[in-house]
Amino acid sequence: MSGNSTYEPKNGLSRWLDARLPIMRLAHDTMSTFPTPRNLNVWYTFGGILTFCLGVQIVTGIVLAMHYTPTAAAAFDSVENIRREVNYGWLLNFIHSNGASMFFLAVYLHMFRGLYYGSSKAPREVLWILGVIIYVVMVATAFLGYVLPWGQMSFWAATVITNLFTSLDQIIPHLGGAHDPGLGTTITQWLWGGFAVGDPTLNRFFSLHYLLPFVIAGLVVLHIWALHVPGNNNPLGIDVKGPQDTVPFHPYYTVKDGFYLCLFVILFAFLVFFAPDFVGNPDNYTTANPLVTPPHIVPEWYLLPFYAMLRSIPQKLVGVLVLFGAIATLLFVPWLDTSRVRSMRFRPMMKQFFWIFVADCILLGYLGSQEPQAVWHLGGVDMPLLWPARIGTLYYFAFFWVIMPVIGLIETPRPRPDSIAASVLGNAQAAE
Amino acid sequence: MATTNTAEPTRRDFIHIATGTVAAVGVGLAAWPFIDQMNPSSAVLALSSVEIDIGSVQEGQQSVFMWRSKPVFVRRRTKKEIAEAEAVSMNDLPDKLARNLNLPEDAPATDKNRIEKPEWLVVIGICTHLGCIPLNNQGEFGGYLCPCHGSQYDTAGRIRKGPAPENLAVPPYAFIGPTKLKIG
């Protein structure tokens, strides 16, 4: 989408088209000859895998929508009908529901990769921010989709998440007279289309769930555009210095991405065919009941760390601000990282804090899956899980707002190789 | 042609600003129907009050009724529960307001201000934290425990512990007979 084009039309028709709509040129330059650092490793294959995931969700989603009924009375039964009666409905349904999990698995690895190799740093700040926005829209889409089967977890997820906005009542308690609802309640009732989650809510969630994947697709185009201006970062985190540092995207990375995509699809297929409910919650096989909250409600696994943060805060508005703040923090990473070295391969101190951060995210995910009153029995001492959750939340924010800027200033990075080619081929060959 | 690049505002500047303002107002007006369509419809708003018979609720029991698609707890409190609720000091209450739509907004959260008749506690059964339905007769205070995030309420439906900011709301209601309630 930028840089010098190497496309040469081969015949009269392609010359004619190229002069009117250079779409073949665009495809050629972005997907075939695009110069890509020659040292990209397995962690760089998730961009392609994520594009695959988006495609799978859109295609399975469109056909599932042909059989789904978005009303409170019929939604649950229509999903069961898809599973039992529609030809291959079971397959399409399980690909779509497990596809969400695979999508998030890939996006989290993609994000940790970006963090580790300093991919957010100049000149790729806009690329990173677009990625964070895509992640936020993904979370919204996944949440809306989780509500559609209208099971108990669907209903109560919708209730809890939309109620996050009622915390704004603590800022403006009344819009109008003393007994009028506050800002938060007003927004929440606007989202619901009623006084509780119900038919209007389900219907609009279906509409938006259908819309947002196409918004994501548009954002992905911008994300790839912003990638192709500076070009890929790489595991060394050093700039490409010339043609000796790169290889054409095709066939080198089409084949590499394709190989790892195959491994990814094997795991995907294993879930779909052998453990289709592994990531699901059994309570969602009970029809939504507005009068009974299940004894233990949890979000899907990919939102558990944020849920643990929310629950670790005893004050409602602060809890909600921490929840949203945890995601908003990611927007500032390009400027919070003060190191002049991108890749943590050459950052001995930061590397350790990074792996503690990864462990912290996993710990928070585990804590989010436990009951709010849960207690750990550690050699005769009872510790409420609240405390590790609070420490984990504190580390999450400290990692970005304290550790990242401070370590970047005080750390002595290890020496970096002269060039990508020198690192890959050895200095002698690269000099030729 | 005279230059328009002067410090003094020109008639052309005025036309630009006026046009831009009208366009912005027009876009705002055109957007409003698309925003407002999501608010509760007339059909939803029409279901504003219900009459219920609570005669079958025995002492120590609770029944749940629906009002505006929200659950309303009607709890017939025991003598012990009433005494416990009345004995609570205001200093032990995180939310000191009655949250009773039948009373002025600044009414304090005494047990008296939470009820019409001491025997009957009528509250909207939605946790003021994130909207789950609290469980009856659970938690440290003998009232309610929310299973989602662990908020605990006493036998007057007042928040005592946990992340919920407010007491369970008391809906607008009135006794229209010894065991008949009109809610809304």
Side-chain angles (χ1 to χ4, degrees):
Chain A
M1 293 183 200
S2 68
N4 298 323
S5 179
T6 56
Y7 176 70
E8 283 175 29
K10 298 279 188 305
N11 55 42
L13 178 63
S14 55
R15 267 192 299 277
W16 180 88
L17 182 63
D18 193 50
R20 285 155 181 83
L21 177 72
I23 190 169
M24 299 307 290
R25 180 181 296 277
L26 180 74
H28 178 85
D29 292 342
T30 55
M31 287 185 276
S32 178
T33 58
F34 186 74
T36 313
R38 61 199 305 165
N39 61 338
L40 299 189
N41 58 22
V42 51
W43 305 110
Y44 282 78
T45 61
F46 287 99
I49 287 170
L50 284 162
T51 314
F52 169 81
C53 286
L54 179 62
V56 167
Q57 293 305 87
I58 288 178
V59 170
T60 51
I62 286 171
V63 292
L64 287 170
M66 295 178 186
H67 305 279
Y68 172 75
T69 315
T71 65
F76 186 87
D77 290 342
S78 79
V79 173
E80 284 307 305
N81 181 63
I82 289 170
R83 290 195 177 160
R84 293 155 194 251
E85 312 291 345
V86 173
N87 296 334
Y88 291 102
W90 59 272
L91 179 66
L92 299 163
N93 182 202
F94 284 134
I95 292 175
H96 197 73
S97 57
N98 286 288
S101 280
M102 295 305 288
F103 206 155
F104 276 96
L105 175 67
V107 87
Y108 283 133
L109 292 171
H110 192 68
M111 289 160 78
F112 280 127
R113 188 290 316 273
L115 214 49
Y116 188 82
Y117 293 125
S119 301
S120 69
K121 293 157 75 76
R124 298 184 182 82
E125 301 95 323
V126 173
L127 171 61
W128 173 267
I129 288 169
L130 281 165
V132 176
I133 294 170
I134 291 172
Y135 171 69
V136 171
V137 182
M138 272 177 67
V139 170
T141 312
F143 159 67
L144 295 170
Y146 192 61
V147 175
L148 302 186
W150 211 240
Q152 270 290 65
M153 278 297 157
S154 299
F155 184 89
W156 291 101
T159 299
V160 169
I161 301 293
T162 49
N163 263 301
L164 291 176
F165 292 97
T166 58
S167 61
L168 296 175
D169 281 352
Q170 292 179 303
I171 299 172
I172 302 181
H174 302 292
L175 289 176
H179 282 168
D180 284 339
L183 173 68
T185 303
T186 306
I187 292 175
T188 309
Q189 290 180 353
W190 174 71
L191 290 171
W192 289 337
F195 299 106
V197 172
D199 236 339
T201 325
L202 177 60
N203 220 318
R204 65 190 56 182
F205 277 20
F206 179 53
S207 170
L208 294 172
H209 182 68
Y210 207 120
L211 164 73
L212 289 186
F214 298 97
V215 174
I216 295 177
L219 288 166
V220 167
V221 170
L222 294 181
H223 192 61
I224 295 173
W225 189 3
L227 169 71
H228 282 192
V229 175
N232 289 75
N233 185 29
N234 63 84
L236 296 173
I238 57 177
D239 289 330
V240 166
K241 296 200 169 79
Q244 73 280 6
D245 288 343
T246 65
V247 289
F249 187 79
H250 178 75
Y252 293 93
Y253 287 113
T254 45
V255 170
K256 185 163 186 153
D257 283 358
F259 173 72
Y260 286 105
L261 178 61
C262 288
L263 297 186
F264 183 83
V265 170
I266 288 172
L267 176 62
F268 196 157
F270 175 80
L271 279 180
V272 169
F273 291 108
F274 297 100
D277 285 317
F278 178 71
V279 294
N281 190 305
D283 271 321
N284 225 22
Y285 281 110
T286 310
T287 317
N289 181 352
L291 287 178
V292 180
T293 307
H296 181 205
I297 70 160
V298 282
E300 291 277 84
W301 69 267
Y302 40 80
L303 299 177
L304 286 172
F306 300 112
Y307 192 61
M309 292 185 202
L310 171 75
R311 290 199 314 198
S312 73
I313 310 289
Q315 208 277 347
K316 180 173 167 179
L317 180 61
V318 177
V320 173
L321 291 176
V322 163
L323 173 75
F324 286 107
I327 295 177
T329 290
L330 298 174
L331 292 169
F332 301 97
V333 168
W335 297 278
L336 291 172
D337 190 346
T338 51
S339 176
R340 58 200 166 77
V341 175
R342 290 198 191 101
S343 174
M344 290 192 196
R345 259 192 203 179
F346 307 105
R347 304 185 57 192
M349 287 171 78
M350 195 60 201
K351 185 192 283 188
Q352 293 174 32
F353 287 109
F354 172 83
W355 288 111
I356 296 172
F357 175 73
V358 174
D360 185 47
C361 291
I362 294 168
L363 172 73
L364 283 171
Y366 166 76
L367 295 171
S369 72
Q370 300 301 300
E371 292 186 23
Q373 319 290 337
V375 171
W376 260 344
H377 303 286
L378 299 168
V381 182
D382 286 353
M383 181 174 62
L385 287 198
L386 192 60
W387 284 103
R390 285 182 177 164
I391 295 165
T393 305
L394 194 65
Y395 184 81
Y396 181 96
F397 283 93
F399 175 77
F400 289 108
W401 291 98
V402 180
I403 294 170
M404 202 174 253
V406 171
I407 297 294
L409 296 176
I410 64 173
E411 179 183 48
T412 310
R414 300 203 346 250
R416 287 168 292 161
D418 295 333
S419 71
I420 293 170
S423 165
V424 173
L425 305 170
N427 281 318
Q429 264 181 291
E432 284 170 17
Chain B
M1 185 183 144
T3 174
T4 53
N5 189 15
T6 58
E8 285 290 302
T10 63
R11 286 160 56 135
R12 183 161 294 180
D13 290 336
F14 174 78
I15 288 169
H16 283 165
I17 292 166
T19 311
T21 307
V22 170
V25 171
V27 168
L29 289 175
W32 179 245
F34 291 88
I35 296 166
D36 193 40
Q37 53 84 20
M38 276 175 66
N39 273 318
S41 70
S42 306
V44 172
L45 293 173
L47 303 166
S48 58
S49 69
V50 289
E51 288 179 19
I52 55 172
D53 188 341
I54 55 175
S56 61
V57 184
Q58 299 300 310
E59 189 174 304
Q61 276 190 339
Q62 170 175 293
S63 279
V64 182
F65 300 90
M66 291 300 267
W67 171 65
R68 287 187 155 187
S69 53
K70 293 175 182 181
V72 173
F73 292 167
V74 178
R75 177 175 178 140
R76 191 165 185 175
R77 302 191 295 179
T78 62
K79 299 262 183 315
K80 181 168 163 286
E81 287 173 343
I82 297 169
E84 277 171 5
E86 285 174 345
V88 175
S89 153
M90 284 297 280
N91 293 331
D92 294 337
L93 297 174
D95 180 15
K96 298 192 188 335
L97 296 177
R99 307 288 171 190
N100 185 339
L101 288 174
N102 308 289
L103 295 175
E105 191 201 3
D106 55 357
T110 57
D111 186 59
K112 191 170 139 287
N113 280 345
R114 297 278 301 160
I115 41 127
E116 292 274 316
K117 298 180 180 177
E119 206 180 4
W120 297 101
L121 176 70
V122 181
V123 289
I124 293 175
I126 294 179
C127 181
T128 58
H129 183 224
L130 294 174
C132 298
I133 311 292
L135 302 167
N136 191 11
N137 284 329
Q138 291 199 32
E140 296 166 29
F141 304 94
Y144 302 94
L145 167 70
C146 182
C148 293
H149 308 90
S151 291
Q152 304 195 30
Y153 300 85
D154 64 16
T155 51
R158 294 172 296 196
I159 181 66
R160 300 295 295 278
K161 193 177 176 186
E166 293 181 10
N167 302 324
L168 293 178
V170 178
Y173 74 95
F175 281 90
I176 51 173
T179 59
K180 281 226 163 186
L181 272 185
K182 182 175 181 224
I183 305 176

